[in-house]
Amino acid sequence: MSRHTKRILSYYASESPGCLANLYRLLEHGRLGGTGKLLILPVDQGFEHGPHRSFAPNPEGYDPEYHFKLALKAGCNAYAAPLGFLQAGAAEFAGQIPLILKLNNSDSLATGGEPCSAVTGSVGEALRLGCAAIGYTIYPGSGERNTMFEELRELTEEARSVGLLTVVWSYPRGGNLSKQGETAIDVVAYAAQIAAQLGAHIIKVKPPTAHIEQEAARKVYEKYQIPVGTLSERIRHVVQSAFNGRRVVIFSGGEAKDEAAILQEIQGIKDGGGFGSIMGRNAFQRPMDEAVALLRKIQDIYAA
Amino acid sequence: MSRHTKRILSYYASESPGCLANLYRLLEHGRLGGTGKLLILPVDQGFEHGPHRSFAPNPEGYDPEYHFKLALKAGCNAYAAPLGFLQAGAAEFAGQIPLILKLNNSDSLATGGEPCSAVTGSVGEALRLGCAAIGYTIYPGSGERNTMFEELRELTEEARSVGLLTVVWSYPRGGNLSKQGETAIDVVAYAAQIAAQLGAHIIKVKPPTAHIEQEAARKVYEKYQIPVGTLSERIRHVVQSAFNGRRVVIFSGGEAKDEAAILQEIQGIKDGGGFGSIMGRNAFQRPMDEAVALLRKIQDIYAA
Amino acid sequence: MSRHTKRILSYYASESPGCLANLYRLLEHGRLGGTGKLLILPVDQGFEHGPHRSFAPNPEGYDPEYHFKLALKAGCNAYAAPLGFLQAGAAEFAGQIPLILKLNNSDSLATGGEPCSAVTGSVGEALRLGCAAIGYTIYPGSGERNTMFEELRELTEEARSVGLLTVVWSYPRGGNLSKQGETAIDVVAYAAQIAAQLGAHIIKVKPPTAHIEQEAARKVYEKYQIPVGTLSERIRHVVQSAFNGRRVVIFSGGEAKDEAAILQEIQGIKDGGGFGSIMGRNAFQRPMDEAVALLRKIQDIYAA
Amino acid sequence: MSRHTKRILSYYASESPGCLANLYRLLEHGRLGGTGKLLILPVDQGFEHGPHRSFAPNPEGYDPEYHFKLALKAGCNAYAAPLGFLQAGAAEFAGQIPLILKLNNSDSLATGGEPCSAVTGSVGEALRLGCAAIGYTIYPGSGERNTMFEELRELTEEARSVGLLTVVWSYPRGGNLSKQGETAIDVVAYAAQIAAQLGAHIIKVKPPTAHIEQEAARKVYEKYQIPVGTLSERIRHVVQSAFNGRRVVIFSGGEAKDEAAILQEIQGIKDGGGFGSIMGRNAFQRPMDEAVALLRKIQDIYAA
Amino acid sequence: MSRHTKRILSYYASESPGCLANLYRLLEHGRLGGTGKLLILPVDQGFEHGPHRSFAPNPEGYDPEYHFKLALKAGCNAYAAPLGFLQAGAAEFAGQIPLILKLNNSDSLATGGEPCSAVTGSVGEALRLGCAAIGYTIYPGSGERNTMFEELRELTEEARSVGLLTVVWSYPRGGNLSKQGETAIDVVAYAAQIAAQLGAHIIKVKPPTAHIEQEAARKVYEKYQIPVGTLSERIRHVVQSAFNGRRVVIFSGGEAKDEAAILQEIQGIKDGGGFGSIMGRNAFQRPMDEAVALLRKIQDIYAA
């Protein structure tokens, strides 16, 4: 076991051997194996944004097998997807890469109401498909947050009891939050803290901006002069907010953009002490070769 | 086993032998057995539209035994109906044709509120009646979609655990969707994707029109010049949207219409790579002989 | 076993021997035993309308034992009541008459909101009290219909599993239904169909009027010239709507009225092929002797 | 066993020996033991009205042990209280007096919304504390009545299965009921009927006034000239409305008032055939000696 | 066992040996062990107010291990925190200090709606982490109070069954309560009573002010001249309201303030017969040495 993996596992000493084993699998798999960094391929956009908006740019992505192949070829640490996509390849690619079953999902056909995803999978299904972890999205700030926090709590306890990890997508949204506030540094830091307090093993947030949303928070940032001017400063603050670095925090890639912008962002995450990235559209919407090349450049930055 | 059945079963490699066996039964039964195509008789209109509107055109249809006989005589792959209709013939016709227990239903007496069907059957009842599959209707777009997605998830997992297939009627409705939007190509493709991601084994949608409902989708259709001008192009796009053809997608027949119009639509579905049809009113509202003759013509198109 | 009972049992071939045995008990008990017709005494009005409005006309009715005696003396097929009334006599009259435990009830103290009865009993209580069946009221058309349909579904499955029959009171009410529409022929026929599709063994509806409530239905009645001018025509149509006579449909007696009016209505039900009556206020609000005499006249019409 | 106890037990012939044994315990305990009458001390006012309003008049009442001592010294048939109060003395006074665990409670800090108490205890806790019965409050007329009726149904069935009695506080409240209507004779009689139909073994209502709340009821009272002019006439009508005297109905004491008024009311309850009283504030808000003296006078009236 | 511990345990005679053992552990642990007084360190502010507002003043507090160390070094009786914080140290500090798992939590990202915390832990997790007690926050006065009271009831019964204590944070909030009313003497006394009636073993309230919120209460305070002018008088009244001192009531420290103000408040709690304090922000927002010094001064006052 690498010293990085060893150090990270030591943060989870209260967990069962089953959970530790799956955390080990994630940390040691792929091109970043043993570096203490993670690069995960998530493909839930077919459900969240629709098949056309997700896969028309690279139609091979309509096929569920494509994403298994992409994750494998690029040497990702894991592949995350909803029930349908995972079970359309779980047998064919059994054991070749750690899988994360995304247990809840939203769609873009319905609108209005406070945001809350539907539960679309279960711990039992994750076990059946041979997964290493479950994934769950919470929307802190939403009027339905309690429903999500409580569902997550139950799922996490059940997952832990069978040795599965829990990966939490913590995306502030709804309620009185402004659109800009969803990625504000105070809000993203808070979202990371909430996920950690709820017992998440791995926390996924969006890269934060320098905007501060809440007045009560602004006073604190000013009084204690917390540096949030650069991306790496903000990343460092978010990692600190997730138990001072004792929980794995990774960052999403967001909308499709050009390679230079992506790599610059990755460097910022790396410099701030982030544990890695989870990158969907910027990967599977490119042709396979381009995507693999890009993901390897990202890995190289993290491994440097 | 025919090569078509073999190919389709290969798409479901993550499923248990019990589910595979029932999928085999459906694909190998009736006049289309072994062609990889399906023609299913569904009779839930008594519940959904009322007995008079459903059965007055051909009063023999008031009798539940009539529909078993029709499905058998026409050589359909399966017969689908709610609890009451199925159990009023399940013993008399035991084993003669694969049955699908429709587990939820709406009625037309009550109006208003976001659309959501009532659960009117169970996996246990499906087993008791000797069914091959459960059926469930979701209304993507409805304010109650999460309730339906979550019920479906639980039922699918339970059904899978006892070897029953899940057939999903995916009918966008409610919320901000326009009436025209319910059959828009972008919406129907999205509905097929959602059903597939939720783990459906067989997906039933309506034949889509060339209308595009969502602005974000329109941009994609235009940018990537996705062909949706003809019915067969649209069918092909929907099949692609259901895991690139790795999930069985069939199409409903809709309101009663004349034979020429029906057969033309079937040809379009066939040409676009659809897996078949589920045809209710156009079958049981015609006299038995006419209905059988029509259904055989449809089968002949699919088998050609 | 009489040929009538044999014929009716044949409609329920998918049911377990326990359910068939209880259906046999109901059909063979009392003065109408073996005729294929039913006359049931229901006494839930104390709960539904209050004790004073129900029992002041004949104060002996305040006593729960009175109704057991009335049902026995009149030779009814069964006695139906809520938990309290049944268990205040179930031991004293154990085995002497088939009992139906009414599992949900409304009261007239609270008003407003969409109609939905409270569940006030259970299958376990029905077994404990030695009942032959459970009873449940649905209000098709109500905004709460799904709640009721789903509760009924669960109760029916549980009852079936222990050999108890399910009797469904199907009373359209609420939503956009007009007061007149609650007994409209199209609505009553639809209510009978819904109860049958939900798996009811015995269906209770109100005698329908010639009014047609729904525009979509009116077109069908006119186009196919469905005769609904006389009570017996309407009864025939309702019986047809309940699986073409393959489900037992009985009719309620409604508000207190004079003997001539009652007997005329019974004759209409008989002529239309109805399976019998369930008569409460017109029975227990008369003095015992008058009530017994009236109920026997009703039985004589059905047995003729 | 006294003839009174024997007669009352005979009304509950459908109950299990465990329930009969606890009913026997209640009827045979204390100074009214064997008279067929009950005097119960209830102390839930600390929860319902607050500690200061309840116990400031006689501060010894802040101590939970005080009420056990009061009930014992006064020779009450039973002591009823919420979980906290009971378990703060259940070990110390184990077996010395039948206990009733009040399973739901309201408080006066929150206002608005349709009235519905919170469930604050369980059948399991009642067993653990050695109770003879559970207590539950329903508010007939409330928009939340169905919730309460259904909770009560489940609790009663569970309690019965382990031999515990169910005592129901039936207090009409909420919805369209006027304040005056809450104690109207038609409403109280109806409330007693509902509790009896729901399966209550012992029913607690408020002494009714001569006011009539519901128009439909007024017509019946006038047409049949039901006497409700005096308290004893009204009590008799309420007892009749609870299965013609075949269910034990007791009456609450209400707000604190002077001794003469209390004893006059008790005499009216006695003369009307009521089964006794449940008296809280008029007992524990007086000094111990005064309270004991008053309760004994009440017992003497009932025993006369 | 000290006489203080012995006396307090005697108040809980109805509890199981497992609960008594954990109460003993709390009362005998740390510098206040054996004095009958408690000083508990709670750290749920990261969840409730956000990580920046909670930990920026003393950034060591971002690290979950810091709080274990602080509680140990200061000789607190116990350390209370949500799931995430506890399990990030439960293995490292196993057995060294009694732990309280806070089972529900609110956050400050979402606003609006009646206050109700999300359940974020379970009794099973508390057992897994080796805790002595569960903690739960109720908001008496909130429109969601029934939800919280009922959740607490279930959790308390489950905790008791496995020998865990229940500590209740009883914080009136919501509904028609004014901001000032949340700490009014009548409201705090009522909140302590409610928690005690719900079965709490240890009750945490805020130090009350002399304000009286409810008119009905004001009359009682005036009529009976209940002294509430000084803090110690108010503390005495609150302790009396929690079963006359037969339930352990402790007081929160509230917002950060200077040492003199804190110690004066502690003296008032001591003089009024309070059982101790639970102090978060005033502890962990100071540097370790200052915090330890302050907590020891507090302990010295209680032990005096």
Side-chain angles (χ1 to χ4, degrees), chain C residues 232-262:
Chain C
S232 63
E233 285 171 342
R234 295 191 293 271
I235 296 292
R236 192 170 308 281
H237 180 60
V238 171
V239 170
Q240 183 188 45
S241 295
F243 294 2
N244 205 31
R246 300 177 71 85
R247 284 295 172 266
V248 173
V249 184
I250 58 178
F251 295 84
S252 59
E255 295 188 12
K257 45 198 165 194
D258 70 38
E259 188 176 305
I262 292 169

Side-chain angles (χ1 to χ4, degrees), chain A residues 13-14 141 145-146 149-150 153 157 160 176 186 189-190 193 196-199 214 220-221 224 237 240 243-244 246, chain E residues 46-50 52 56-57 62-63 65 84-85 87 91 107-108 110-111 116-122 125 128:
Chain A
S14 296
R145 69 199 175 284
N146 280 12
F149 294 174
E150 297 185 350
R153 189 209 72 66
E157 185 168 6
R160 176 182 290 116
N176 292 325
D186 60 322
Y190 202 159
Q193 165 80 200
Q197 292 286 14
L198 289 169
Q214 298 195 295
V220 171
Y221 280 88
Y224 297 99
H237 179 60
Q240 182 188 45
F243 295 2
N244 205 30
R246 300 177 70 85
Chain E
F47 200 121
E48 305 263 336
H49 307 142
H52 19 67
Y62 282 109
D63 195 315
E65 296 204 346
F85 248 29
Q87 74 181 3
D107 68 272
S108 313
T111 53
C116 185
S117 297
V119 177
T120 59
S122 72
E125 301 277 24
R128 180 175 67 86

Side-chain angles (χ1 to χ4, degrees), chain A residues 230-249:
Chain A
T230 68
L231 176 60
S232 63
E233 285 171 341
R234 294 191 293 272
I235 295 292
R236 192 171 306 281
H237 179 60
V238 170
V239 169
Q240 182 188 45
S241 293
F243 295 2
N244 205 30
R246 300 177 70 85
R247 284 294 172 268
V248 173
V249 184

Side-chain angles (χ1 to χ4, degrees), chain E residues 168-249:
Chain E
V168 174
W169 277 240
S170 191
Y171 285 0
R173 191 173 298 178
N176 292 324
L177 284 179
S178 69
K179 187 70 195 167
Q180 198 185 9
E182 294 178 1
T183 51
I185 177 61
D186 59 322
V187 170
V188 173
Y190 201 159
Q193 165 79 201
I194 286 174
Q197 292 286 15
L198 289 170
H201 296 107
I202 297 177
I203 298 160
K204 177 193 174 190
V205 291
K206 293 186 180 171
T209 67
H211 175 63
I212 293 177
E213 174 84 354
Q214 298 195 295
E215 268 314 295
R218 177 186 306 281
K219 287 178 197 156
V220 170
Y221 280 87
E222 288 172 356
K223 181 172 178 188
Y224 296 99
Q225 301 187 342
I226 303 173
V228 295
T230 69
L231 177 61
S232 64
E233 284 171 341
R234 295 192 292 271
I235 296 292
R236 192 170 307 281
H237 180 59
V238 170
V239 170
Q240 183 188 45
S241 294
F243 295 2
N244 205 31
R246 300 176 71 85
R247 285 294 172 268
V248 173
V249 184

